[in-house]
């Protein structure tokens, strides 16, 4: 499920508390107190067979006796009763429940049985459940507090989602005294039903939510989470504190919530790919909450620092530079103004040190000058306590200066503060809180707060960066690779031998060293003589994956006698260390002499939640010592491959050093891209380790590789957390006049084609498409149209000779109940059937993906589009609010079998 019926959870008109009780200190009593304290505007009903009334409210003996069906039920009864309660609620037609009760998935088999029973009772009725084992939910804007929290926050624009109830109450305890409000506070608990993916989808579309904070211990349903997170992060800041970074922490998180906590590097890769910001400490989450609640969207990143203490300014500068922030360079005009206003001993640069005796007026004068400097994008104001000036006087001056500033002067810019100390700073911080100005306790935390805004803006830029167009799209020999794997699985293999592994790599165009095999030392010597010296000799065994660890690798053997001796000695070593291992003889390879090449590690790893990931790092026999690797979710393009490499230390060495020329980065990137393609095509591959991959200016070559397989539980593309390019939708089509053209899904690399398409549409055609006069596409719009989540979105491009003739999109809601379409055709190709062809194909794909309805908005004057809609069976109705627009819609059949490979279909 996704967002269906979540409106009943977060915008209910009536609430039933199941298990209400007057017993002091009980969960039922505290939840009832909070519901009443919040003054919920809807109807509140209570259920408990042991009471007739509580605090003047009627208590009903059971759910069946309620006077009306509640939109939302809050359940605090014992775990054993919950499945039966869900059955009763479903029978009444309730569509949402918050299960506060603990004792389910986190307590082992017995609890899991109860949780599954509740799920099975809810699912047929689309009854959505938050929890179990949670604190509850809050929607302050609606005065809904269905929790057992000790505090209730004011309404605000930040949503906070947490698996941990303790983090919910801790956040509220910190936020309420600071006046920080929330749009939603949701304790997800064990996430039996509603999970982070569902909530991100819901909150992304919620106009009252401006930013989203998450505390996560584990993620469920990797692809759903990634689709939701990517969609939300494109619209508003999403920050996450992921617990379980260490192995011990991961085990504690798993036992806490019953949700598998995977490798931290995998979560890093997932959050980064989604465009989320990650914090690592609870204090950072609090600082992020304050920043997002009390600052505007930050346009630039040049920070000016205003301080009355040089040391504090230096600390702030160090923190900024260490985090790769940018210190503003003051304009000459600003320096001249400050020279007139400040004592001669001021710092004459940024940080602007206005000396320890700075009065409120001096703060105001300096801050006014900095706000007026267009070379400054934000200002951090620091104050150190002294006996020469009052901290609160300086705070009032800062507040008044900000209030007097023209709104245009602060558009896209922020002023934040940090008053150091405690005794003298407490009153000043309260003044800033009352004025809704972000204030922090240290220079470091203030800089971190500022950088949350900066990093969010940088993330947005990265999300819409256009990858370079690949000159040639490689087509692997999938059939050969699939056949090799099928044969190996049929033979009961889990680790492939060197010949099989090399053949699969070769099928994907990955260069490998030639392999030759020998069954005994004498044959090894003979084969080596045929191959030519020097050679590398390696043991062959299905039971030994790390050959170097057992003395199973000898390099640079220069003659047959030495090969024979080393092979004999190798057999003795390996048999002594692994007497149980079956030995298949030896692998003989020509030595690869590339003295300036870097040894790299590339490969694939598998995660239970997020599926396969591409790995890159510093390779060789000391890979465990280097510990220099990074992960990326496939599929990859050239940009993602380069970013994956750039996150490692070895990246700097690949740029060239001390006379070594730069490595062929394009060749390494191509290897990473093809590994991502291999992960999508071959679901039986569970682990692939190419180490070393030698890389130098001439290119790359795989020297050694190991590959583990297992029967696939799902098709290759389905196991990826990010849906890959749907190549099966590529077709060759014919227009009515016989013109042949290609129709294929749009790729991120196709952004230039969209710009060219728009450039060849008349102003009138563009107006009819975008409902307003436009001149071409901006990069942001074109990137959004071409960088698609193929799980929910699709764009079909009609092209001929690499010229875009038209494109048709649909964007589906998370539940795929409805998808909105849009279409554009090159003006000189109108009337030739391009639009009709694209719409026909788009309808076909939408139907086969299980989308319930295809809808759109069309200008009433756009008669050609309306005529096409009539011919394609769309209904047409008036827009309820705009007479110049009509609504079109076509109901589609339920999900059909997958679209086959139609690349050669012609109409």
């Amino acid at each position: 499920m996704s967002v269906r019926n979540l409106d009943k959870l977060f915008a209910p008109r009536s609430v039933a508390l199941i298990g209400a009780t007057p017993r002091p200190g009980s969960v039922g009593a505290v939840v009832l107190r909070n519901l009443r304290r919040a003054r919920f505007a809807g109807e509140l009903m209570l259920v408990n067979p042991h009471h007739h009334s509580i605090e003047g409210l009627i208590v009903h003996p059971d759910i069946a006796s309620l006077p009306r069906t509640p939109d939302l039920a809050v359940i605090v009864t014992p775990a054993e009763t919950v499945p039966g309660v869900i059955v009763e609620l479903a029978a009444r037609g309730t569509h949402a429940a918050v299960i506060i009760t603990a004792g389910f998935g986190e307590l082992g088999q017995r609890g899991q049985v109860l949780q599954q029973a509740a799920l099975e009772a809810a699912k047929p009725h689309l009854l959505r459940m938050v929890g179990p084992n949670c604190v509850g939910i809050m929607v302050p804007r609606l005065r809904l507090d269905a929790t057992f929290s000790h505090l209730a926050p004011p309404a605000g624009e930040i949503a906070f989602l947490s698996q941990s109830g303790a983090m919910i109450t801790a956040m509220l305890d910190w936020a309420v005294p600071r006046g920080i409000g929330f749009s939603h506070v949701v304790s997800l608990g064990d996430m039996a039903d509603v999970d982070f993916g569902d909530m991100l989808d819901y909150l992304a579309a919620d106009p009252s939510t401006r930013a989203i904070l998450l505390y996560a211990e584990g993620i469920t349903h990797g692809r759903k989470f990634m689709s939701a997170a990517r969609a939300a992060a494109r619209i508003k800041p999403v920050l996450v504190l992921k617990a379980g970074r260490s192995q011990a922490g991961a085990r504690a998180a798993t036992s806490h919530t019953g949700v598998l906590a995977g490798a931290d590097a995998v979560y890093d890769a997932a959050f980064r790919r989604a465009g989320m910001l990650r914090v690592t400490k609870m204090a950072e989450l609090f600082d992020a909450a304050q920043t997002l609640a009390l600052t505007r969207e930050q346009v630039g990143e040049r920070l000016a620092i205003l301080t009355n203490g040089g040391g504090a300014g230096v600390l702030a500068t160090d923190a900024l530079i260490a985090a790769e922030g940018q210190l503003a360079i003051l304009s000459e005009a600003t320096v001249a103004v400050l020279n007139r206003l400040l004592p001669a001993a001021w710092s004459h640069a940024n940080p602007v040190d206005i000396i320890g005796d700075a009065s409120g007026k001096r703060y105001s004068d300096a801050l006014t000058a900095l706000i007026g400097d267009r070379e400054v994008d934000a200002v951090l104001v620091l104050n150190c306590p002294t006996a020469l000036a009052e901290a609160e006087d300086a705070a009032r001056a800062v507040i008044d200066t900000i209030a007097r500033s023209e709104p245009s002067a602060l558009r896209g810019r922020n002023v934040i503060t940090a008053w150091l100390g405690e005794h003298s700073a407490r009153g000043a911080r309260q003044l800033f809180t009352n004025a809704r100005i972000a204030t922090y306790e240290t220079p470091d935390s203030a800089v971190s707060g500022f950088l949350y805004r900066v990093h969010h803006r940088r993330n947005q830029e990265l999300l819409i960066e256009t990858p370079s167009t690949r000159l040639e799209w490689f087509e692997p020999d999938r059939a050969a690779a699939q056949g090799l794997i099928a044969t190996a699985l049929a033979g009961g293999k889990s680790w492939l031998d060197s010949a099989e592994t090399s053949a699969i790599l070769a099928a994907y165009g990955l260069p490998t060293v030639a392999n030759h095999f020998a069954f005994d030392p004498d044959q090894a010597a003979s084969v080596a003589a045929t191959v030519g010296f020097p050679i590398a000799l390696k043991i062959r065994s299905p039971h030994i994956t790390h050959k170097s660890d057992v003395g199973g690798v000898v390099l640079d053997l220069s003659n047959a006698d030495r090969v024979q001796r080393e092979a004999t000695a190798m057999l003795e070593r390996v048999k002594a260390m692994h007497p149980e291992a079956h030995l298949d003889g030896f692998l003989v390879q020509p030595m690869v002499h590339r003295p300036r090449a870097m040894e790299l590690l590339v490969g694939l790893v598998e995660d239970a939640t997020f599926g396969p990931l591409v790995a890159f790092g510093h390779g060789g026999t000391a890979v465990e010592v280097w510990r220099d690797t990074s992960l990326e979710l496939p599929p990859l393009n050239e940009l993602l491959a380069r970013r994956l490499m750039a996150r490692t230390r070895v990246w700097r060495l690949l740029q060239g050093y001390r006379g070594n020329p730069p490595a062929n980065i394009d060749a390494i990137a191509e290897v990473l891209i093809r590994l991502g393609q291999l992960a999508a095509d071959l679901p039986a591959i569970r682990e692939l380790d190419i180490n070393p991959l030698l890389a130098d200016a001439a290119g790359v070559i795989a020297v050694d590789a190991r590959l583990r397989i297992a029967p696939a539980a799902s098709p290759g593309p389905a196991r990826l957390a990010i849906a890959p390019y749907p190549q099966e939708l590529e077709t060759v089509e014919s227009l009515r006049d016989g013109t042949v053209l290609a129709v294929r899904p749009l790729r991120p690399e196709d952004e230039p084609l969209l710009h060219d398409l728009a450039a060849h549409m008349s102003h009138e055609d563009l107006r009819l498409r975008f409902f307003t006069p436009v001149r071409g596409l901006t990069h942001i719009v074109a990137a959004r149209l071409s960088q698609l989540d193929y799980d929910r979105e699709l764009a079909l491009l009609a092209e001929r000779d690499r010229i875009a003739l038209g494109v048709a999109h649909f964007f589906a809601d998370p539940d795929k109940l409805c998808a909105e379409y849009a279409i554009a055709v090159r003006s000189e190709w109108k009337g030739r059937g391009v639009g009709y062809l694209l719409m026909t194909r788009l309808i076909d794909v939408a139907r086969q993906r299980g989308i319930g309805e295809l809808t759109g908005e069309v200008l009433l004057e756009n008669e050609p589009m309306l005529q096409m809609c009539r011919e394609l069976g769309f209904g047409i109705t008036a827009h309820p609010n705009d007479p110049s627009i009509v609504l079109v819609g076509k109901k589609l059949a339920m999900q059909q079998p997958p679209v086959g490979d139609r690349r050669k279909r012609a109409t």
Side-chain angles (χ1 to χ4, degrees):
M1 289 190 184
S2 187
V3 298
R4 295 186 70 177
N5 289 331
L6 292 192
D7 58 324
K8 303 297 184 184
L9 271 166
F10 301 114
R13 292 169 298 178
S14 57
V15 176
L17 177 58
I18 316 299
T21 175
R23 180 162 52 86
S26 66
V27 173
V30 174
V31 174
L32 176 58
R33 180 203 69 191
N34 286 355
L35 283 165
R36 300 194 72 183
R37 180 183 64 186
R39 302 191 306 278
F40 174 58
E43 184 175 8
L44 177 60
M45 298 172 278
L46 309 182
V47 175
N48 191 323
H50 306 296
H51 298 280
H52 297 291
S53 68
I54 299 175
E55 298 180 6
L57 294 177
I58 297 173
V59 181
H60 303 275
D62 52 36
I63 293 166
S65 63
L66 290 171
R68 60 191 49 82
T69 298
D71 285 341
L72 170 64
V74 182
I75 303 172
V76 295
T77 59
E80 291 80 3
T81 69
V82 170
V85 169
I86 296 296
V87 169
E88 294 181 50
L89 288 168
R92 281 300 305 261
T94 297
H95 288 296
V98 176
I99 306 173
I100 291 176
T101 308
F104 289 84
E106 75 280 7
L107 293 185
Q109 184 65 33
R110 171 179 157 274
Q112 290 172 5
V113 170
L114 290 172
Q115 182 169 295
Q116 187 60 34
L119 272 173
E120 291 174 358
K123 191 172 182 179
H125 304 275
L126 297 179
L127 192 159
R128 306 307 307 276
M129 301 189 305
V130 168
N133 184 28
C134 71
V135 168
I137 65 172
M138 295 179 179
V139 187
R141 177 175 52 87
L142 301 180
R143 303 201 299 273
L144 174 64
D145 181 359
T147 73
F148 60 90
S149 171
H150 64 307
L151 288 173
E157 297 178 310
I158 299 175
F160 181 44
L161 316 175
S162 174
Q163 282 175 276
S164 166
M167 286 297 298
I168 292 284
T169 54
M171 173 64 82
L172 295 177
D173 199 79
W174 175 87
V176 169
R178 291 166 173 79
I180 293 175
F182 294 88
S183 64
H184 299 76
V185 178
V186 183
S187 172
L188 291 169
D190 291 350
M191 301 195 304
D193 173 25
V194 175
D195 61 11
F196 284 116
D198 300 328
M199 289 304 308
L200 287 169
D201 272 327
Y202 180 81
L203 294 169
D206 177 47
S208 68
T209 299
R210 196 160 55 94
I212 306 170
L213 301 179
L214 282 71
Y215 170 82
E217 293 175 353
I219 300 296
T220 56
H221 309 298
R223 179 174 286 194
K224 183 178 77 170
F225 173 82
M226 288 302 297
S227 287
R230 292 170 74 196
R234 285 180 180 272
I235 301 171
K236 53 193 72 173
V238 182
L239 281 86
V240 57
L241 171 59
K242 167 65 175 66
R245 298 174 64 209
S246 65
Q247 291 186 357
R251 286 194 296 273
T254 299
S255 62
H256 177 203
T257 64
V259 176
L260 179 65
D264 193 63
V266 174
Y267 281 103
D268 252 352
F271 297 152
R272 183 173 51 243
R273 184 69 174 272
M276 304 167 75
L277 299 177
R278 184 174 186 180
V279 297
T280 59
K281 300 173 184 175
M282 191 170 175
E284 292 175 348
L285 189 68
F286 290 164
D287 288 341
Q290 178 170 206
T291 300
L292 296 174
L294 301 178
T295 63
R296 307 168 183 83
E297 195 74 29
Q298 182 71 40
V299 174
E301 55 185 76
R302 298 166 297 181
L303 180 66
I305 300 168
L306 173 61
T307 178
N308 70 338
V314 171
L315 288 174
T317 302
D318 285 346
L320 182 70
I321 301 306
E324 299 182 350
Q326 185 177 349
L327 192 68
I329 299 175
L330 305 182
S331 69
E332 292 182 5
T334 298
V335 173
V337 170
L338 293 174
N339 281 335
R340 289 198 309 271
L341 297 173
L342 300 179
W346 82 280
S347 59
H348 298 278
N350 186 21
V352 179
D353 182 356
I354 58 176
I355 316 304
D357 64 348
S359 63
K361 182 179 185 306
R362 195 181 298 169
Y363 265 100
S364 178
D365 289 344
L367 180 57
T368 299
L370 293 175
I371 290 174
D373 190 340
R374 303 317 296 178
E375 300 299 313
V376 172
D377 299 315
V379 182
L380 166 58
V381 186
L382 302 172
N383 179 271
C384 303
T386 75
L388 302 175
E390 291 292 332
E392 291 185 24
D393 179 49
R396 291 189 188 94
V398 169
I399 293 168
D400 291 343
T401 302
I402 295 172
R404 289 196 309 269
S405 298
E406 292 289 335
S408 59
L410 290 174
R411 188 172 296 118
R413 307 165 83 202
N414 287 290
V415 178
I416 60 175
T417 65
W419 258 230
L420 279 58
E422 184 58 36
H423 174 76
S424 301
R426 191 180 303 123
R429 290 186 191 133
Q430 189 59 51
L431 290 173
F432 288 126
T433 295
N434 295 342
R436 298 195 60 75
I437 295 171
T439 188
Y440 305 85
E441 295 187 0
T442 66
D444 308 63
S445 59
V447 168
S448 295
F450 163 69
L451 288 175
Y452 294 135
R453 284 293 189 192
V454 171
H455 291 153
H456 174 251
R457 185 184 60 80
R458 289 179 182 174
N459 273 3
Q460 298 307 298
E461 292 174 352
L462 290 174
L463 286 173
I464 61 172
E465 195 170 351
T466 306
S468 300
T469 301
R470 297 173 74 185
L471 297 179
E472 294 183 7
W473 291 91
F474 175 75
E475 188 69 20
D477 189 348
R478 294 182 182 86
Q482 290 164 348
L484 282 165
I485 290 174
T487 301
L489 288 173
K493 284 188 174 183
S494 57
W495 289 97
L496 300 191
D497 65 26
S498 299
E500 294 163 328
T501 300
S502 293
I504 288 174
L505 296 181
Y508 279 77
L510 302 175
T512 61
V513 177
N515 291 311
H516 306 273
F517 305 102
F519 295 104
D520 55 46
D522 291 335
Q523 189 179 16
S526 175
V527 169
T530 302
V531 171
F533 299 100
I535 62 98
L537 183 70
K538 302 177 182 180
I539 198 71
R540 289 185 68 203
S541 171
H543 304 119
I544 298 172
T545 56
H546 295 287
K547 295 181 279 291
S548 297
D549 294 349
V550 297
V553 178
V554 182
L555 304 178
D556 263 329
L557 299 181
S558 57
N559 58 65
D561 288 341
R562 191 173 173 205
V563 171
Q564 200 276 341
R565 291 196 305 272
E566 291 289 354
T568 301
M570 186 181 293
L571 283 177
E572 293 173 356
R573 283 195 304 271
V574 174
K575 286 178 179 178
M577 296 181 70
H578 285 281
E580 78 289 350
H582 176 75
L583 304 181
D584 293 331
F586 303 94
L587 177 67
V588 179
Q589 295 176 325
M591 281 297 300
V592 178
H593 281 285
R594 298 171 78 159
R596 294 190 171 188
M598 288 299 305
E599 291 188 322
L600 303 176
L601 164 71
V602 299
L604 296 172
V605 297
E606 179 121 0
D607 180 75
T609 299
F610 293 103
L613 295 96
V614 178
F616 172 84
H618 201 158
T621 56
V623 63
E624 288 84 3
V625 177
W626 292 121
R627 299 185 66 83
D628 180 28
T629 57
S630 188
L631 300 174
E632 185 61 78
L633 292 170
L636 272 63
N637 56 35
E638 177 261 342
L639 271 178
L640 293 170
R642 285 176 175 267
R643 289 177 195 162
L644 169 60
M645 291 186 274
R647 290 194 293 270
T648 62
R649 296 188 301 276
V650 75
W651 168 254
R652 296 177 64 184
L653 298 177
L654 293 171
Q655 309 308 303
Y657 67 99
R658 291 190 175 180
N660 278 2
N664 188 331
I665 300 297
D666 290 341
I668 306 171
E670 187 64 27
V671 168
L672 298 172
I673 292 168
R674 294 188 187 187
L675 287 178
Q677 188 174 0
L678 187 147
D681 293 343
L682 305 175
I685 292 181
R686 300 305 173 85
E687 185 178 345
L688 172 60
D689 182 9
I690 302 175
N691 183 25
L693 176 78
L694 297 183
D696 58 17
V700 296
I701 186 167
V703 176
D704 202 1
R706 61 194 189 103
L707 194 157
R708 183 172 65 86
I709 59 174
S714 59
R719 71 183 185 134
L720 270 61
I722 297 175
Y725 174 79
Q727 190 174 17
E728 71 277 6
L729 298 182
E730 293 181 350
T731 64
V732 176
E733 308 281 355
S734 297
L735 299 179
R736 292 187 295 265
D737 61 6
T739 301
V740 176
L741 48 81
V743 175
R744 62 171 176 83
L746 202 63
R747 298 186 181 100
E749 293 87 346
D750 292 324
E751 182 185 333
L753 295 182
L754 293 185
H755 287 292
D756 182 67
L757 174 64
H760 288 83
M761 293 175 64
S762 68
H763 295 323
E764 179 65 6
D765 285 345
L766 285 170
R767 184 185 68 82
L768 292 174
R769 164 61 180 86
F770 292 101
F771 290 24
T772 187
V774 297
R775 291 185 177 275
L777 301 179
T778 65
H779 163 60
I780 293 176
V781 171
R784 182 65 191 90
L785 293 174
S786 57
Q787 299 186 20
L788 303 171
D789 178 356
Y790 294 120
D791 201 49
R792 299 180 176 184
E793 306 167 313
L794 186 72
L796 292 176
L797 175 74
E799 65 176 347
R800 182 177 170 86
D801 301 327
R802 288 293 296 164
I803 295 174
L805 309 182
V807 65
H809 290 78
F810 70 66
F811 302 86
D813 64 43
D815 297 306
K816 298 184 179 178
L817 297 176
C818 179
E820 185 174 354
Y821 84 89
I823 186 169
V825 175
R826 204 176 188 93
S827 291
E828 65 263 32
W829 281 77
K830 288 173 59 179
R832 299 181 61 178
V834 175
Y836 195 92
L837 169 65
L838 287 172
M839 280 302 298
T840 303
R841 292 283 290 114
L842 199 70
I843 292 168
D844 187 22
V845 175
R847 178 182 291 113
Q848 293 176 12
R849 289 194 174 188
I851 291 171
E853 184 178 14
L854 203 60
T855 67
E857 294 185 347
V858 182
L859 286 173
L860 184 61
E861 63 189 283
N862 192 351
E863 182 54 35
M865 174 62 72
L866 293 176
Q867 181 57 34
M868 183 173 70
C869 287
R870 294 185 192 101
E871 293 175 8
L872 291 171
F874 281 76
I876 300 175
T877 58
H879 193 287
N881 302 316
D882 190 338
S884 68
I885 297 174
V886 294
L887 305 178
V888 299
K890 179 179 176 66
K891 298 287 186 182
L892 305 178
M894 297 303 291
Q895 190 166 358
Q896 301 292 322
V899 179
D901 188 343
R902 302 174 55 182
R903 277 171 278 176
K904 296 182 179 177
R905 169 184 166 228
T907 57

